[in-house]
Amino acid sequence: MTLLDHARAQERDSAAVAHEKDAKQGLLVQPKPPARAPKKSAQLDGFECSRIDGLARPLLVAKGSKGYAACAYITTDAADKFGEACVVFSGVATHEAFLDAPVAKASKAAKALGVKDGMPGRDALALIK
């Protein structure tokens, strides 16, 4: 072993010891665990479902042939302006949760189809399907 090889071996050993010390003190950058696949919502029968993750809560919309249902990120103001049937549910994290949640707000067009604020989501969805 040459003097240069010996010096390199000592450097590697010193670096390994310093690395272990840093690891014990939590000073090393830890690799991020692989990202989990976003939680998928099952499709509601007869609805085209869309989900946007990456927000505080997912943004959910389910479009039926007579109107659409959405989480509380959406308001009924635009639906009223365009004469569309819109049903809004609050506190939902999946499309399936629309079924059991009460209607928080309904647009004028949704109310004309028979949707009422507070009615079970399952019933409201049947009216805008």
Side-chain angles (χ1 to χ4, degrees):
M1 179 184 279
T2 66
L3 190 56
L4 184 58
D5 292 334
H6 182 68
R8 286 185 181 152
Q10 282 183 327
E11 262 182 37
R12 274 194 311 270
D13 292 343
S14 295
V17 168
H19 182 80
E20 285 178 33
K21 182 179 174 184
D22 288 346
K24 286 179 184 175
Q25 294 178 356
L27 299 175
L28 296 181
V29 175
Q30 299 296 323
K32 291 182 179 179
R36 293 189 314 197
K39 189 176 178 184
K40 300 243 183 198
S41 290
Q43 297 295 316
L44 295 177
D45 210 23
F47 285 87
E48 179 184 337
C49 296
S50 300
R51 177 186 177 109
I52 298 175
D53 289 306
L55 304 167
R57 294 189 57 117
L59 190 154
L60 304 167
V61 178
K63 182 184 168 291
S65 63
K66 296 178 188 171
Y68 61 96
C71 66
Y73 274 118
I74 307 299
T75 67
T76 57
D77 297 338
D80 284 336
K81 181 177 177 181
F82 294 112
E84 296 174 333
C86 173
V87 177
V88 176
F89 298 103
S90 183
V92 292
T94 64
H95 291 102
E96 303 83 37
F98 288 0
L99 296 168
D100 297 319
V103 172
K105 185 92 171 144
S107 68
K108 293 174 185 171
K111 289 179 180 178
L113 292 172
V115 177
K116 293 178 178 53
D117 292 347
M119 82 183 304
R122 188 174 314 276
D123 299 339
L125 291 171
L127 294 170
I128 64 167
K129 189 175 184 177

